[in-house]
Amino acid sequence: MKKIIINESQLEAIKEMAYPVTFNMEEFKSIRSFADRLRYCENRLKKLGAGTSRRVYQIDNEKCLKLAKNRKGIAQNIEEINLGNDMYAGSCFAKVYDYDQNGLFVEMELARKAKESDFERLVGVPFDVYCDIIVRTAANYLPSNNQSRNWINKSMEDSYEYVMDNIDDFEFINEVIEYMGNYQVKAYGDLQRISSYGVVRRNGQEEMVIIDFGLTEDVFNNYYRKSRE
């Protein structure tokens, strides 16, 4: 796995955070068992959601906590930690503030779930047009992936060409395209789900971000594919 590095500005931001009186991060970090970590969060934080691999809690109006339930959750947390701390990944992802070195938890920027209307308002294109761009990007960067070519919507050719010709005006899409190319993203299905996106407030302005980006191709193949076969 990649080496996890956190920069000085992130460390300073962590030190300045004021947690709710019922939650103490240092106390939480000292807990060793999943059952005790879970009990601590359940008694002190609002649960936002739960899946097969992780539970998500709201810490305050700015931060949430993703708690791994199993090895799948740990792997997804580590992927999000690594990507969140990669200075070349861009600002299209929810920020990572704090984490466990072994991936047991990750503290991230809190976002409200995005709707397709939010996406079009903040990004500048309808969500279905964006999804077509994702498929075309996968086909361009991964020419051997014939499946992506089969999903290209020919009726959106004009919309795709317009966005590509004016890509500097679509910062969020530009960053996602660069991410897909730089990281050779094969598991792009999550990028086509509106549930993978959220709205955050930065410098007083709403922004679209990807909030669920831990299910990479490697994580899927190592922890999910076998369970489905």
Side-chain angles (χ1 to χ4, degrees):
M1 292 182 176
K2 301 176 184 177
K3 182 179 180 181
I4 298 174
I5 300 174
I6 191 166
N7 60 47
E8 293 183 3
S9 62
Q10 289 172 308
L11 283 172
E12 289 302 317
I14 292 169
K15 292 177 182 179
E16 294 176 359
M17 287 180 177
Y19 293 99
V21 293
T22 57
F23 182 84
N24 184 291
M25 178 57 80
E26 294 308 314
E27 186 175 53
F28 172 74
K29 288 180 178 180
S30 69
I31 301 173
R32 295 305 173 197
S33 75
F34 170 75
D36 289 340
R37 288 193 297 271
L38 178 62
R39 188 177 302 110
Y40 188 90
C41 291
E42 289 286 335
N43 291 336
R44 291 166 172 81
L45 302 175
K46 175 184 177 181
K47 185 168 74 173
L48 298 177
T52 60
S53 59
R54 299 187 290 183
R55 294 197 181 198
V56 183
Y57 297 90
Q58 179 176 345
I59 295 178
D60 56 24
N61 291 332
E62 298 178 349
K63 303 178 292 295
C64 68
L65 184 75
K66 292 185 177 181
L67 179 63
K69 298 165 59 176
N70 46 40
R71 289 191 300 169
K72 293 187 291 187
I74 288 174
Q76 287 177 253
N77 277 352
I78 288 176
E79 289 295 337
E80 291 185 348
I81 291 166
N82 286 326
L83 192 55
N85 284 324
D86 188 339
M87 63 182 295
Y88 297 107
S91 60
C92 60
F93 299 99
K95 296 177 182 178
V96 170
Y97 293 123
D98 202 355
Y99 53 82
D100 174 74
Q101 290 282 352
N102 297 313
L104 299 177
F105 71 85
V106 56
E107 181 190 57
M108 298 180 67
E109 187 176 18
L110 177 68
R112 67 172 176 83
K113 287 284 188 178
K115 301 176 182 178
E116 291 191 9
S117 57
D118 293 318
F119 193 93
E120 182 171 3
R121 174 173 58 86
L122 295 174
V123 177
V125 301
F127 189 67
D128 59 344
V129 172
Y130 169 77
C131 289
D132 181 67
I133 293 172
I134 293 299
V135 175
R136 291 173 187 267
T137 299
N140 290 337
Y141 285 130
L142 304 166
S144 61
N145 190 339
N146 293 323
Q147 182 180 2
S148 60
R149 293 188 179 279
N150 294 335
W151 287 100
I152 290 176
N153 190 333
K154 299 297 184 182
S155 67
M156 294 187 179
E157 189 75 33
D158 290 344
S159 297
Y160 173 77
E161 291 183 359
Y162 174 79
V163 173
M164 292 300 102
D165 288 343
N166 300 276
I167 193 62
D168 290 341
D169 296 331
F170 300 94
E171 181 178 356
F172 179 83
I173 297 177
N174 195 19
E175 288 194 349
V176 174
I177 289 174
E178 289 185 358
Y179 155 65
M180 292 182 70
N182 292 338
Y183 290 85
Q184 290 292 289
V185 176
K186 298 178 182 178
Y188 60 88
D190 280 355
L191 294 176
Q192 295 176 273
R193 300 184 180 94
I194 192 62
S195 59
S196 295
Y197 299 84
V199 179
V200 298
R201 183 169 290 276
R202 296 174 178 172
N203 300 319
Q205 301 292 324
E206 286 188 330
E207 293 187 26
M208 185 64 53
V209 294
I210 303 173
I211 58 175
D212 193 0
F213 46 96
L215 187 56
T216 61
E217 184 81 358
D218 288 341
V219 172
F220 178 80
N221 288 334
N222 292 331
Y223 297 97
Y224 288 87
R225 186 180 295 279
K226 292 180 181 181
S227 65
R228 298 186 183 185
E229 292 178 345

